[in-house]
Amino acid sequence: MIHSFLMIGQSNMAGRGYAKEVPPIYDEHIKMQRNGLWQIISEPINFDRPSAGVGLAASFAASWRLDNEQDEIGLIPCADGGTSLDDWAVGGALFENAISQAKLAQRTSKIMGILWHQGESDCSPEKAEQYSKKFSIIIETLRKELNIQEVPLMIGGLGDFLANGIFGQYFASYPLINQALQDFAQTNENAYFVTAKGLSANADGIHFNALSQRLLGVRYYQAFRNLASLPDPLVDEDKILATIYNRPYTKNEKIKLLEHEFAVGNIEAKDYLAELGMMSGE
Amino acid sequence: MIHSFLMIGQSNMAGRGYAKEVPPIYDEHIKMQRNGLWQIISEPINFDRPSAGVGLAASFAASWRLDNEQDEIGLIPCADGGTSLDDWAVGGALFENAISQAKLAQRTSKIMGILWHQGESDCSPEKAEQYSKKFSIIIETLRKELNIQEVPLMIGGLGDFLANGIFGQYFASYPLINQALQDFAQTNENAYFVTAKGLSANADGIHFNALSQRLLGVRYYQAFRNLASLPDPLVDEDKILATIYNRPYTKNEKIKLLEHEFAVGNIEAKDYLAELGMMSGE
């Protein structure tokens, strides 16, 4: 049975990191949901926009795999860029899409956690004040509808770069949201806050860059593993990432990657068949 | 109200054409569904696999737009590569995903048609014989659940290249499937067959190349427009494509495309802001 995790929130959950900036994460034991079925991971996992890229879910899953060598993890991508808490209200399209995708996942997996990153679109004193109340209703209803009352909810903080970027004027209130997210984790069962301290953004000053997303995913996993909020960066998070990147590919993974190169036209048919023959004979 | 179309079937409905081989289709009146909401078109529309690329839906929508200058069209991508008719059985994950996505689309659109392309994974004499019966159950149930009993269903033929490619041995029976698809269209109301005559494949000999997908989309639209099967290629399909490609971008489209270039890191912040300033002042 696949251990699955629901990805909800806005663009920094979907992921906007540039793939070329970090090593890939590829592992046949890490799946992602497509059309209600499971496929092997490839980024972007959460393809909400043409600019979708590296998010935190890949390194979260790869961290989970370090502790679960024999098991499979499945990611259920439902995050959507630029969306506010009101956009996520119960009964709205985003909420109902997440419910329907999660229910499809539950046919062949057990949901073990919820990954949430959101708040950039609620950066005002008024919205920060309402955050906890609105978020509670969303999460409680989601838990009830999916019958996952007890599973851990990991809530990431907003980046400290937000107020200083080229669109910084829109994010002056980001510390209030960070406070609201922390308060929510402190006052609700099975909810854990994950710091974004020290992380960096793309040139837009809004989206975590690829390396920061990788680090954030490692942090999300630590919160899940320890069932505890993570107020500070991990001292060994770079080392954990290095371990993830150094995992050798299995024979099957090498074949799948070769198939992909052929499918997208990067290698010719005769080279594909020759390499495939060599790999299969290994 | 958006006029929407449901995309179901296997890889040649999802699309595997290489984007670099054809001009882009970009039009703010053509939407695609993401997380239950509508976004402006960008390919891949149907991101079922990392190799997803150009499919027939973009030029289908652009052809529709030539006849509907003031209206919006929405594409609901639910096709999944390598899937057989049995994979599409009522109650299965693919079917239920398509139903849930279509129902989300129906909140803000009216479904006007169904686009189907499938059959490569059913290429055997036994499966060809059962095709019509199995497909009937799927389509009738889908129509009933979505309350779209009368909307046109466009069914594309399989490519004549299939038996001659490097995987040709698996597709020897493709003419039987083409016959089954044609028979289905002839014996069922509101169902129309669209020929794939003259179309070409990628080097894999399985997937329509990008230009062929563009042509196939134009043909699908003709079948929809005329409510009639299309047994032969259109004489002016190249001309229709040229008209589509020659459509000038609106100011808003230019801004969105610029935003995308900045979002994916292709231009620097200062150039982005300078160009944005010029465009907004136009």
Side-chain angles (χ1 to χ4, degrees), chain A residues 90-91 95-96 98-100 102-103 106 137-149:
Chain A
V90 172
F95 182 88
E96 293 303 326
I99 293 289
S100 72
K103 285 190 173 170
Q106 285 178 319
I137 296 170
I138 295 166
I139 290 297
E140 288 315 306
T141 312
L142 185 94
R143 286 183 181 281
K144 213 174 292 170
E145 289 203 22
L146 298 175
N147 195 22
I148 51 170
Q149 277 86 347

Side-chain angles (χ1 to χ4, degrees), chain A residues 18 34-37 39 42 44 47-50 78-80 91-94 96-97 100-101 104 107 260 262-265, chain B residues 18 34-37 39 42 44 47-50 78-80 91-94 96-97 100-101 104 107 260 263-265:
Chain A
Y18 304 148
R34 289 286 184 268
N35 295 311
L37 301 173
Q39 303 297 332
S42 66
F47 193 62
D48 59 321
R49 297 291 183 282
C78 296
D80 202 76
L94 292 174
E96 293 303 326
N97 179 65
S100 72
Q101 294 300 305
L104 286 168
R107 291 174 166 220
H260 174 75
F262 178 56
V264 299
Chain B
Y18 305 147
R34 289 286 183 269
N35 295 312
L37 301 172
Q39 303 298 332
S42 66
F47 193 62
D48 59 323
R49 297 291 182 283
C78 296
D80 201 74
L94 292 174
E96 293 304 325
N97 179 66
S100 72
Q101 294 300 305
L104 286 168
R107 292 174 165 218
H260 174 75
V264 299

Side-chain angles (χ1 to χ4, degrees), chain A residues 248-259:
Chain A
Y249 290 141
T250 66
K251 179 173 154 182
N252 187 46
E253 287 163 4
K254 286 180 197 165
I255 291 174
K256 296 278 181 201
L257 288 168
L258 179 70
E259 282 173 0

Side-chain angles (χ1 to χ4, degrees), chain B residues 128-276:
Chain B
E129 212 188 307
Q130 302 162 341
Y131 199 97
S132 192
K133 195 177 157 191
K134 287 181 185 173
F135 190 41
S136 279
I137 296 170
I138 296 166
I139 290 298
E140 288 316 306
T141 313
L142 185 95
R143 286 183 181 282
K144 213 174 289 170
E145 290 203 20
L146 297 175
N147 196 21
I148 52 171
Q149 278 86 345
E150 312 278 304
V151 311
L153 162 69
M154 277 63 68
I155 303 167
L158 304 187
D160 286 316
F161 45 75
L162 277 171
N164 305 319
I166 58 173
F167 302 109
Q169 55 181 315
Y170 303 110
F171 303 110
S173 301
Y174 90 89
L176 300 177
I177 296 292
N178 263 347
Q179 194 56 55
L181 296 169
Q182 271 172 286
D183 291 349
F184 184 93
Q186 261 173 356
T187 54
N188 286 271
E189 303 244 338
N190 307 308
Y192 308 102
F193 178 79
V194 179
T195 187
K197 273 182 202 165
L199 300 184
S200 310
N202 289 338
D204 59 12
I206 298 175
H207 297 117
F208 293 115
N209 64 27
L211 173 58
S212 292
Q213 285 280 15
R214 291 278 193 252
L215 294 170
L216 191 55
V218 171
R219 294 180 191 177
Y220 265 65
Y221 177 67
Q222 284 303 309
F224 172 75
R225 184 183 202 254
N226 301 332
L227 298 179
S229 287
L230 194 79
D232 290 298
L234 291 165
V235 285
D236 61 344
E237 53 194 24
D238 289 316
K239 219 173 109 189
I240 294 169
L241 270 190
T243 306
I244 288 169
Y245 293 143
N246 287 332
R247 175 183 167 277
Y249 291 140
T250 67
K251 179 173 154 182
N252 187 45
E253 287 163 1
K254 286 180 198 167
I255 291 173
K256 296 277 180 199
L257 288 169
L258 179 71
E259 282 172 0
H260 174 75
E261 291 302 303
F262 179 56
V264 299
N266 288 345
I267 54 173
E268 286 183 31
K270 66 174 169 35
D271 297 328
Y272 165 61
L273 294 173
E275 282 198 52
L276 193 64

Side-chain angles (χ1 to χ4, degrees), chain A residues 35-184:
Chain A
N35 295 311
L37 301 173
W38 298 108
Q39 303 297 332
I40 297 178
I41 184 180
S42 66
E43 295 181 282
I45 294 164
N46 194 118
F47 193 62
D48 59 321
R49 297 291 183 282
S51 55
V54 172
L56 62 92
S59 57
F60 172 85
S63 302
W64 183 93
R65 283 273 294 138
L66 296 177
D67 284 340
N68 298 271
E69 284 188 22
Q70 304 306 318
D71 296 319
E72 288 194 315
I73 181 170
L75 303 165
I76 310 162
C78 296
D80 202 76
T83 52
S84 66
L85 262 192
D86 289 343
D87 293 328
W88 279 94
V90 172
L94 292 174
F95 182 88
E96 293 303 326
N97 179 65
I99 293 289
S100 72
Q101 294 300 305
K103 285 190 173 170
L104 286 168
Q106 285 178 319
R107 291 174 166 220
T108 49
S109 75
K110 185 168 180 199
I111 297 179
M112 307 299 284
I114 305 165
L115 311 179
W116 175 261
H117 198 288
Q118 196 277 342
E120 292 88 346
S121 290
D122 286 82
C123 275
S124 76
E126 300 73 33
K127 288 187 173 166
E129 211 187 307
Q130 302 163 341
Y131 199 97
S132 192
K133 193 177 158 190
K134 287 181 185 174
F135 190 41
S136 279
I137 296 170
I138 295 166
I139 290 297
E140 288 315 306
T141 312
L142 185 94
R143 286 183 181 281
K144 213 174 292 170
E145 289 203 22
L146 298 175
N147 195 22
I148 51 170
Q149 277 86 347
E150 311 279 303
V151 311
L153 163 68
M154 276 63 68
I155 303 167
L158 304 187
D160 286 316
F161 44 75
L162 277 171
N164 305 319
I166 57 174
F167 304 110
Q169 57 183 311
Y170 302 111
F171 302 109
S173 302
Y174 90 89
L176 300 177
I177 296 292
N178 264 347
Q179 195 56 54
L181 295 168
Q182 271 172 284
D183 291 349
F184 184 93

Side-chain angles (χ1 to χ4, degrees), chain B residues 54-65:
Chain B
V54 172
L56 61 92
S59 56
F60 172 85
S63 302
W64 183 92
R65 282 273 294 137

